[in-house]
Amino acid sequence: MPRQVPAHRVDLLGDRRHDHVLVIPVINEGERIRAQLARVAAANLPVDVVVADGGSTDGSLDLDFLREQGVRALLTKTGPGKLSAQLRMAYAWCLDQGYEGVITIDGNGKDNVEAVAQFVAKLREGYDYVQGSRYAPGGKAENTPLERTIGNRLIHAPVLSLAGRHWFTDTTNGFRAYSRRYLTDPRVQPFRDVFFAYELLFYLTARAGQLGYRVCELGVRRSYPAGEAVPTKITGAGAKWGIIKQLLAAAFGRFNPNSP
């Protein structure tokens, strides 16, 4: 089927330099994303950097600033959808640009950007899905809210582990990587409008193992700010229940191509 990608604008700021790309989805992350991009630039990572904006209005993605940090492109979603739509937009563009693998990291500054190089190394070793985990060897969880720990360890990770036929420990973590081979497999078809909110993250976790792709976890650090509000877009009982419904839909194959 034809790819379904939300309407968007592309601000191209530089040439392609690497075979792998780091996609950072954001919306109104303010100084968190600006500090994170500065850390990415300082780390001299083996990736091009693409920012996938959901429609920020806080002025944090000034093009001159992005150029200074070595960002290759700013993609701004103008069509409908939330995180999954941003990712569909970015992944489609990156595949069209010829990248061999895509790494994704949240734009709220909670993750250790230096680990991006390790994700690239795993992709080069032949892995097709690499899940970052604060609970895997070498990982670290700092100031994680108890509610998040319980939901992840006792509900989210076990459900997707069973569905994906591989044990995962941190499936809510957006720090992850996919091979070009996996994203373009016709049995996957990630470019569909059904992926609107968080569904795509959960689906790609389950689908990789179901199709026999090489998957693994990689220890990463995820740090929540001490004594501050949790940086998240998931707030309120309704949003949390929505996550559970999307999780179960992915686990039971509702998003698999040709499913009723």
Side-chain angles (χ1 to χ4, degrees):
M1 65 177 293
R3 292 191 312 191
Q4 296 174 332
V5 178
H8 60 280
R9 183 181 73 249
V10 178
D11 290 296
L12 190 61
L13 308 176
D15 297 327
R16 176 180 157 181
R17 298 175 53 240
H18 298 280
D19 291 334
H20 296 83
V21 60
L22 175 64
V23 168
I24 309 177
V26 299
I27 183 165
N28 291 328
E29 294 294 352
E31 287 304 314
R32 288 191 291 268
I33 181 59
R34 293 173 74 89
Q36 180 169 314
L37 288 172
R39 295 202 312 273
V40 169
N44 193 28
L45 299 168
V47 291
D48 292 336
V49 179
V50 170
V51 175
D53 183 29
S56 296
T57 57
D58 61 359
S60 59
L61 302 177
D62 174 77
L63 293 182
D64 288 337
F65 172 78
L66 297 184
R67 284 192 188 93
E68 291 172 2
Q69 306 309 317
V71 173
R72 188 188 172 205
L74 170 64
L75 311 181
T76 304
K77 182 178 65 64
T78 57
K82 298 182 180 180
L83 177 61
S84 289
Q86 289 170 250
L87 295 176
R88 283 188 286 126
M89 166 188 73
Y91 294 167
W93 187 85
C94 291
L95 291 174
D96 288 344
Q97 292 291 305
Y99 289 106
E100 291 302 317
V102 178
I103 300 95
T104 305
I105 189 172
D106 293 343
N108 51 26
K110 291 186 293 192
D111 302 292
N112 59 320
V113 299
E114 297 78 12
V116 167
Q118 296 173 264
F119 282 85
V120 173
K122 288 295 184 183
L123 290 174
R124 287 177 175 160
E125 288 174 24
Y127 286 95
D128 297 289
Y129 168 51
V130 186
Q131 173 64 65
S133 173
R134 73 200 92 177
Y135 308 114
K140 188 173 184 180
E142 295 182 338
N143 305 315
T144 307
L146 180 60
E147 177 188 52
R148 293 296 180 89
T149 301
I150 293 173
N152 192 3
R153 300 283 274 169
L154 299 184
I155 301 174
H156 207 282
V159 168
L160 286 184
S161 295
L162 289 171
R165 305 165 192 171
H166 181 91
W167 183 251
F168 294 105
T169 61
D170 198 3
T171 50
T172 62
N173 199 327
F175 202 174
R176 47 182 63 199
Y178 311 108
S179 71
R180 179 185 188 87
R181 177 172 50 246
Y182 179 39
L183 292 177
T184 58
D185 188 326
R187 299 171 297 173
V188 180
Q189 297 184 26
F191 303 107
R192 291 176 280 144
D193 288 340
V194 68
F195 301 118
F196 184 89
Y198 294 89
E199 303 93 345
L200 185 59
L201 292 175
F202 309 157
Y203 168 71
L204 288 175
T205 298
R207 196 65 174 148
Q210 292 169 359
L211 296 176
Y213 278 102
R214 290 188 69 193
V215 306
C216 68
E217 281 195 323
L218 184 66
V220 297
R221 186 179 71 248
R222 171 155 279 210
S223 306
Y224 285 78
E228 299 180 20
V230 175
T232 182
K233 299 295 187 294
I234 306 170
T235 58
K240 293 170 185 176
W241 173 238
I243 291 291
I244 295 297
K245 290 194 292 185
Q246 294 164 39
L247 166 68
L248 294 176
F252 284 100
R254 291 287 302 278
F255 303 126
N256 294 355
N258 303 318
S259 65

